[in-house]
Amino acid sequence: MEDFSNYFPIWSKLTAEQQTELNLSVLTQSFEKGSPIHSGSDDCIGLLVVKTGQIRVYTISEEGKELTLYRLLPRDMCLFSASCTMPNIQFDVMVSAAEDSTVFLVPAAVFKALMDNSVAMANYINELMASHFSEVMWLMDQILNKRMDSRLAAFLLEEGNFSPERDVVITHDLIAGHLGSMREVITRILRYFQSEGLVSLKRGRIRLLDIEKLEELARESLR
């Protein structure tokens, strides 16, 4: 597979046979923004490695509320799409394309064989799982202990980093999904931000105006 080795972080630690097996089996798939990629534990498509774009990993509550757990950028791996190969993962996580994205797909059976036969791969996956666990625990702390206005400011700054114009193209519904809140709450806070001159609101777009004040507010979510 063309240039797959450049996106697989432990490629050099695999044997020649394992590298050949991956090259023969890995697929490339493209997804439009908003497209579902993985729909819970019963949907085991295999290991995803992001080539371009951005992937969103999230969960859905019994009330239907979405909560973004973390996002994946180029060269990041998505483990939950291969959850059937890891019996210790027993909860449903959804995966979708946050942007137009292209991914490498390692079929579940090939990934499991690699996990079973490569100590380097098993160690790397364990480290990755620990890292994602830390991210989720940080998120839980944010939800339980931090003010929503501070979390929203931090979210807008993070999103603004992807745009040189500091425009965040996103709806209030999507922000609520990322932060595990309600659209009405997000709208109310954004209108307050606008009244204070921190942002400018347009339909489906938020322009960041006062970065310094947003950063000051966002720091509250780090304490």
Side-chain angles (χ1 to χ4, degrees):
M1 175 62 62
E2 182 183 1
D3 72 6
F4 174 65
S5 61
N6 295 326
Y7 290 80
F8 205 70
I10 60 164
W11 182 263
S12 62
K13 297 182 180 180
L14 302 179
T15 66
E17 292 77 11
Q18 290 166 342
Q19 292 175 354
T20 299
E21 176 67 18
L22 279 174
N23 276 326
L24 292 174
S25 59
V26 70
L27 305 172
T28 302
Q29 294 188 358
S30 296
F31 298 91
E32 294 183 352
K33 181 178 180 179
S35 299
I37 299 176
H38 170 75
S39 305
S41 58
D42 293 332
D43 180 22
C44 189
I45 60 175
L47 180 72
L48 296 179
V49 182
V50 183
K51 183 177 182 182
T52 63
Q54 184 182 134
I55 302 300
R56 177 187 177 217
V57 180
Y58 63 101
T59 186
I60 301 178
S61 70
E62 293 183 358
E63 296 78 21
K65 184 185 299 184
E66 296 182 1
L67 175 63
T68 299
L69 300 177
Y70 51 86
R71 282 172 285 183
L72 302 172
L73 301 175
R75 290 183 167 79
D76 286 339
M77 284 185 182
C78 181
L79 302 178
F80 289 108
S81 55
S83 57
C84 62
T85 67
M86 295 174 284
N88 291 330
I89 298 180
Q90 299 178 353
F91 53 92
D92 285 340
V93 170
M94 319 297 282
V95 181
S96 66
E99 299 175 355
D100 291 347
S101 302
T102 301
V103 304
F104 295 109
L105 173 62
V106 180
V110 176
F111 172 58
K112 186 177 188 308
L114 191 59
M115 283 278 291
D116 291 342
N117 296 293
S118 171
V119 173
M121 186 66 185
N123 288 341
Y124 181 78
I125 294 302
N126 287 335
E127 291 173 4
L128 196 57
M129 290 181 67
S131 174
H132 288 326
F133 178 75
S134 296
E135 291 181 64
V136 172
M137 291 304 296
W138 177 86
L139 176 62
M140 293 301 103
D141 178 64
Q142 293 286 304
I143 293 172
L144 294 172
N145 301 313
K146 307 300 181 183
R147 299 196 327 248
M148 181 55 69
D149 59 345
S150 177
R151 292 179 58 214
L152 179 54
F155 174 81
L156 292 175
L157 288 169
E158 181 181 359
E159 291 294 306
N161 287 332
F162 295 105
S163 168
E165 296 83 15
R166 291 298 178 117
D167 276 3
V168 179
V169 181
I170 193 170
T171 65
H172 297 189
D173 277 322
L174 285 175
I175 295 175
H178 281 299
L179 298 181
S181 183
M182 300 177 62
R183 179 185 58 80
E184 294 79 5
V185 174
I186 299 301
T187 297
R188 184 167 62 247
I189 298 174
L190 285 173
R191 287 175 177 169
Y192 170 73
F193 283 1
Q194 181 170 244
S195 71
E196 294 292 308
L198 277 65
V199 302
S200 173
L201 302 179
K202 293 183 179 179
R203 186 175 181 84
R205 184 181 299 269
I206 303 167
R207 171 158 289 185
L208 310 188
L209 301 178
D210 195 327
I211 302 300
E212 184 176 345
K213 286 186 179 180
L214 284 170
E215 288 176 341
E216 180 179 349
L217 183 59
R219 278 194 289 271
E220 295 292 327
S221 71
L222 302 177
R223 296 176 182 174

